[in-house]
Amino acid sequence: MLPYSNPTPGATLIGRIWLPGQGPALVRVDGDQVVDITCADYPTAQALFDAPDCVAVARALPGRVVTDLATLAQASLNAGADDLRLLAPADLQAIKASGVTFADSMVERVIEEQAAGDPDRAEAIREKVTRIIGDSLSGIEPGSADAERVKAVLKSEGLWSQYLEVGIGPDAEVFTKCQPMAAVGFGAEVGLHPISSWNNPEPEIVLVINGGGVIVGATLGNDVNLRDVEGRSALLLGKAKDNNASCALGPFVRLFDGDYSLDRVRAAELSLTVSGDDGFVLEGASSMAKISRDPASIVAQTVGSHHQYPDGFLLFLGTLFAPVQDRDAPGQGFTHHLGDDVRIREAALGELRNSVNLSTRCPPWTFGTAALMRNLAQRGLLT
């Protein structure tokens, strides 16, 4: 799987790396070679994705070979601040996320809310909710007449929730996952806020949308989530979702071309493996075929005449994965341990791998947009 090797040699793969002594560089994958294509016309991923035909531009840009995929991947797993490593394949773009887009994971959000973030209460509530809801949410179209009928039933049972409102109601949940430049890439540590004791990874496909609102490609993402914090109140979503190193992207963006399109995203099958130092292994999956809202419709609710993103944005599409496998005690389900190795895979997009730490122990985020602009100017890459 990428980035150790390239299983899709015809794909147009674009990423970002840190060059020691220089700074961020825009790269293309040619076979198993990583080629620096940074130039004054295209110094950032944002500039490239905004090109009228970004696939043709990306393929035609001259460059120099920096390293191979296997070497880069290994370097990224042990990288220091000025070492060669993969970065998140986004820079100036906003990082947005859509939530509660799968019926199965939507039920888990309801359980979190009913349990008020207490994992000890989750199992009993899960049994009650499942007994009442059953398969009534399977295949339901958000905002439809069927969804309104289900809504009435759930209200009568005292189970209506703000999560069900965005899950089967007409309006999608779209929130800011992190600021531009704050996401981490393959090999980096992902961070948990130290107040959390019930949390999990969220393996997702992430769409890349340019400044004109056009979907130009996709990558993988880990929308790290604090279940106890969000479960206490949905108004704590920012605290649950946006912390140092709590957003991982990569390894590369695969641009849409004749061989890869939004239809491939709609049919994607993601897998997840979490391996702990305690010998615990969690395996899960997320099938995009089961998403309740079409990806294009979520994008349309995010950008349009009501809201513009002139630098483009990346959009997490949500996940089917909601782990209930017990780890520490019966009935408490899954939560991360520090040092967990998290691997998210998808055949067309490769593998995103990260290790888990506290946000307070992950390298602090210091290289923001202003630092990027200064760096590019010093290298003569701004015109």
Side-chain angles (χ1 to χ4, degrees):
M1 301 291 288
L2 278 168
Y4 299 100
S5 62
N6 188 351
T8 52
T12 308
L13 300 173
I14 299 299
R16 296 172 64 246
I17 65 172
W18 184 272
L19 290 175
Q22 298 182 56
L26 188 66
V27 297
R28 178 184 66 231
V29 177
D30 289 350
D32 284 331
Q33 302 298 302
V34 180
V35 179
D36 179 4
I37 57 172
T38 317
C39 60
D41 287 335
Y42 300 102
T44 63
Q46 176 271 330
L48 177 60
F49 299 152
D50 264 8
D53 187 344
C54 61
V55 173
V57 171
R59 290 175 173 174
L61 282 173
R64 66 176 186 89
V65 174
V66 177
T67 186
D68 60 82
L69 286 169
T71 301
L72 178 60
Q74 188 59 46
S76 300
L77 295 173
N78 304 286
D82 194 37
D83 291 341
L84 177 69
R85 66 187 187 278
L86 274 159
L87 302 173
D91 39 46
L92 302 181
Q93 301 94 331
I95 310 295
K96 309 294 286 188
S98 51
V100 204
T101 53
F102 290 80
D104 287 356
S105 62
M106 175 171 57
V107 172
E108 283 299 310
R109 299 291 86 78
V110 175
I111 292 164
E112 288 171 13
E113 182 183 47
Q114 295 276 325
D118 183 357
D120 291 327
R121 299 174 54 200
E123 188 59 34
I125 295 171
R126 184 175 292 110
E127 291 177 3
K128 174 188 175 183
V129 171
T130 302
R131 184 174 65 251
I132 294 173
I133 293 179
D135 63 356
S136 64
L137 301 176
S138 178
I140 198 166
E141 180 182 349
S144 66
D146 285 342
E148 286 300 311
R149 283 191 286 271
V150 171
K151 179 177 179 178
V153 171
L154 294 172
K155 277 188 172 180
S156 69
E157 294 287 346
L159 281 177
W160 185 248
S161 160
Q162 54 204 333
Y163 292 103
L164 290 165
E165 176 63 46
V166 296
I168 65 176
D171 299 313
E173 177 193 22
V174 180
F175 57 91
T176 296
K177 173 60 182 177
C178 72
Q179 297 302 304
M181 300 291 295
V184 299
F186 175 98
E189 293 178 323
V190 289
L192 305 172
H193 195 293
I195 67 170
S196 176
S197 59
W198 187 23
N199 42 68
N200 64 269
E202 293 192 353
E204 304 187 23
I205 285 186
V206 184
L207 294 181
V208 179
I209 298 93
N210 69 16
V214 178
I215 307 170
V216 298
T219 189
L220 295 175
N222 185 353
D223 179 14
V224 180
N225 184 42
L226 311 183
R227 300 190 68 179
D228 45 1
V229 175
E230 185 178 355
R232 283 162 46 205
S233 171
L235 296 180
L236 293 173
L237 183 65
K239 195 175 191 71
K241 291 288 190 177
D242 185 4
N243 297 292
N244 183 40
S246 65
C247 176
L249 295 167
F252 300 97
V253 168
R254 182 167 183 181
L255 295 179
F256 287 169
D257 54 23
D259 296 320
Y260 186 66
S261 67
L262 191 58
D263 283 339
R264 291 278 299 276
V265 170
R266 293 182 175 110
E269 298 286 334
L270 288 81
S271 65
L272 169 79
T273 303
V274 178
S275 304
D277 294 336
D278 56 350
F280 179 88
V281 176
L282 173 73
E283 294 185 335
S286 186
S287 173
M288 287 296 295
K290 296 182 179 180
I291 197 169
S292 302
R293 297 183 189 272
D294 185 74
S297 73
I298 305 173
V299 173
Q301 289 209 29
T302 305
V303 64
S305 59
H306 63 290
H307 201 331
Q308 296 78 43
Y309 292 86
D311 294 322
F313 64 100
L314 275 70
L315 179 65
F316 282 77
L317 292 177
T319 185
L320 177 66
F321 177 73
V324 298
Q325 180 181 338
D326 290 336
R327 183 173 195 174
D328 296 322
Q332 288 203 336
F334 170 83
T335 194
H336 270 306
H337 285 192
L338 301 187
D340 279 352
D341 179 71
V342 182
R343 304 187 189 207
I344 298 169
R345 306 179 187 88
E346 200 279 324
L349 297 173
E351 176 182 276
L352 175 61
R353 181 181 179 185
N354 302 95
S355 59
V356 175
N357 206 339
L358 297 179
S359 290
T360 49
R361 297 180 186 173
C362 293
W365 175 38
T366 59
F367 197 92
T369 303
L372 174 64
M373 294 297 101
R374 287 192 298 269
N375 176 274
L376 294 175
Q378 289 167 1
R379 293 158 61 191
L381 292 167
L382 291 185
T383 57

